[in-house]
Amino acid sequence: MTATTAATATETLAARTTDRRPDRAGRRSGTSSRARAGLALGIWLVVVGVSAVWGATLLRAHVHMQIGAPPLTGVLDWRPKLPLATAGIVGVLTATVMPAVVARLSWRRLLMAAPVGALVWTLAINTVDGWTGFTRPIHTEYAATAVGIATPRQFLRALLTHPSQFNIHTRGHPPGLPLLLWALRPLGVSSAPAVAVLYVVVGVMAVPAVLATVANVAGSRAARGAAPYLVLAPGAIWMATSGDAFFAGVSAWAVALMVLATGRDGPRGDVLALVGGALFGVTAFLSYGLVLLALIPVAVALARRRVRPLLFGAVGAAPIFIAFAAAGFWWLDGLQVTRHAYATGVARRRPYDYFLLADIAAFALALGPAAAIALAWLRDRRLWLLAGAALVAIALADFSGMSKAEVERIWLPFAPWVLVATAAIARRPRTTRLLLVAQVATAVGIQALVRSPW
């Protein structure tokens, strides 16, 4: 063998070896991704399964937790009706075509189409009990309180001094939503159907707010990847019939505007921060726990080294707190009254240790299995700012013990910020469609098995 021939053979062998390395690396990466996905899905199933079995055991032991389908609130009621089959078909068709549609739409059209898609899915999955299912819960919640408000000041005083005279939803929250519904009554938003429309429409508007935030933080490609999962979230079951849907829409825009402000300099950034802060002030008077969502813009602002928007946001929120204080309702006093009422109510019969797990299980069902796999695959640090901050907020809410059960509804405003992690799935088209169908199946399964009070 000549030196030239030997050199050629060596180069050929080196080339072959080099060609094999990416394949091996790719196989290792693929195997690792599948392993992480399998582990994440396994944890999701175990958390849901263990909480269901543990909860059933507690019920058999006559622990009166006022939940009949642990970890979910409601009762077990097998009802595979035709409307549910229709919802399943709508969901599967949407899951099949939506990734391609999202990829082709312009950014502006996507922001308009996404809430429409969420609205269709929300309506479809909630027609299992007929259209009356949308209005039944409203008669006994915030709208019922709004009917009895004589003057705002009188209502605020009574909420602090005699909270027991109000229904459980009103005394468990700040006075924002009952007052808003009271103010809207002269405009025709007084009937249960009108209030239901308000909840649903404002609720689905959380989707474009989250998409705009993801695009600002991690780019439009990431936002497009997450869009189908935001539209087809199993949590849509509770988006149509509870005030928490309204909370989700308002709080999502509060977060979005604050995050957008951190990416802009000058007067436009200051205006965004002021408006976002004002919306955060409104959010604080819709639900006490939603102040935890402030962790998201704080995380982004710190990562971008932009403290100015946070200061302007605080300035924007201040007038809301001042106005309520001037009317006789100090936020911290309201929180204290609610904590006392909660501790002396059904919460005292709900075991803290069980609901540490059951709350996570209920939230996991509202997110769907795709969220677990997405979190296992997520490597984008920018998206972790959003999803990670939301998970920290959920952990704080869980350990606080102020959300024992019903979190499939109560934590709806946090859900889309965790679902942004699904952008990590977008590069796998087949997996995307499969997991979207799994999301639909989760929602259909819940509706077929559990009759929810919302």
Side-chain angles (χ1 to χ4, degrees), residues 99 101-108 110 211 214 219-228 423 426:
V101 172
V102 167
R104 292 171 185 169
L105 286 175
S106 68
W107 177 243
R108 288 186 179 181
L110 175 59
L211 291 178
V214 173
S220 60
R221 183 176 181 179
R224 290 178 185 274

Side-chain angles (χ1 to χ4, degrees), residues 131-144 167 169 192 196 199 240-243 409 452-454:
W131 293 106
T132 57
F134 289 91
T135 58
R136 191 183 307 113
I138 291 171
H139 292 289
T140 60
E141 297 181 0
Y142 308 99
N167 61 59
H169 288 275
Y199 288 174
T241 55
S242 71
R409 169 185 61 82
S452 171
W454 308 288

Side-chain angles (χ1 to χ4, degrees), residues 93-450:
L93 288 176
T94 305
T96 303
V97 304
M98 193 172 182
V101 172
V102 167
R104 292 171 185 169
L105 286 175
S106 68
W107 177 243
R108 288 186 179 181
R109 289 183 177 178
L110 175 59
L111 289 180
M112 292 186 290
V116 175
L119 176 62
V120 171
W121 170 237
T122 298
L123 295 178
I125 197 61
N126 280 284
T127 55
V128 61
D129 294 319
W131 293 106
T132 57
F134 289 91
T135 58
R136 191 183 307 113
I138 291 171
H139 292 289
T140 60
E141 297 181 0
Y142 308 99
T145 300
V147 173
I149 295 177
T151 65
R153 186 178 293 273
Q154 182 183 14
F155 166 61
L156 294 174
R157 187 184 303 113
L159 190 60
L160 286 177
T161 57
H162 303 289
S164 60
Q165 74 181 68
F166 299 103
N167 61 59
I168 189 169
H169 288 275
T170 299
R171 66 176 181 264
H173 290 80
L177 186 52
L179 284 176
L180 175 64
L181 296 177
W182 173 79
L184 291 176
R185 286 180 66 80
L187 302 178
V189 185
S190 56
S191 65
V195 174
V197 169
L198 177 69
Y199 288 174
V200 175
V201 171
V202 174
V204 299
M205 289 307 296
V207 175
V210 176
L211 291 178
T213 306
V214 173
N216 183 266
V217 171
S220 60
R221 183 176 181 179
R224 290 178 185 274
Y229 296 93
L230 291 168
V231 169
L232 289 174
I237 292 171
W238 302 281
M239 283 293 288
T241 55
S242 71
D244 297 87
F246 183 88
F247 303 163
V250 175
S251 62
W253 279 104
V255 173
L257 292 176
M258 287 296 300
V259 170
L260 292 175
T262 66
R264 293 178 182 265
D265 294 319
R268 291 188 67 182
D270 294 341
V271 170
L272 285 172
L274 284 170
V275 177
L279 277 180
F280 256 114
V282 172
T283 297
F285 284 90
L286 294 176
S287 180
Y288 292 109
L290 294 187
V291 296
L292 293 172
L293 282 171
L295 292 174
I296 298 174
V298 167
V300 176
L302 292 179
R304 290 175 166 176
R305 299 180 181 179
R306 294 274 292 147
V307 178
R308 181 184 176 93
L310 299 181
L311 298 177
F312 272 81
V315 171
I320 310 298
F321 284 84
I322 293 171
F324 273 96
F329 187 93
W330 179 235
W331 190 86
L332 292 175
D333 290 340
L335 176 60
Q336 186 60 34
V337 169
T338 294
R339 286 179 62 89
H340 175 75
Y342 186 75
T344 56
V346 67
R348 71 180 187 276
R349 298 195 300 271
R350 290 175 171 171
Y352 177 81
D353 54 352
Y354 170 67
F355 283 101
L356 279 178
L357 178 68
D359 284 356
I360 299 302
F363 189 58
L365 287 169
L367 292 173
I373 293 172
L375 289 170
W377 280 347
L378 186 60
R379 292 294 178 268
D380 192 324
R381 294 182 180 179
R382 298 167 300 177
L383 287 175
W384 267 115
L385 289 173
L386 304 177
L391 290 172
V392 170
I394 286 297
L396 292 173
D398 193 27
F399 282 107
S400 74
M402 285 292 292
S403 299
K404 296 178 184 176
E406 306 177 32
V407 298
E408 63 269 27
R409 169 185 61 82
I410 297 170
W411 290 351
L412 279 178
F414 298 96
W417 300 107
V418 178
L419 284 170
V420 301
T422 54
I425 308 173
R427 295 182 180 180
R428 301 171 171 88
R430 292 181 181 177
T431 304
T432 292
R433 291 185 178 88
L434 180 62
L435 288 178
L436 284 172
V437 171
Q439 296 289 89
V440 170
T442 300
V444 171
I446 292 171
Q447 283 290 64
L449 287 170
V450 179

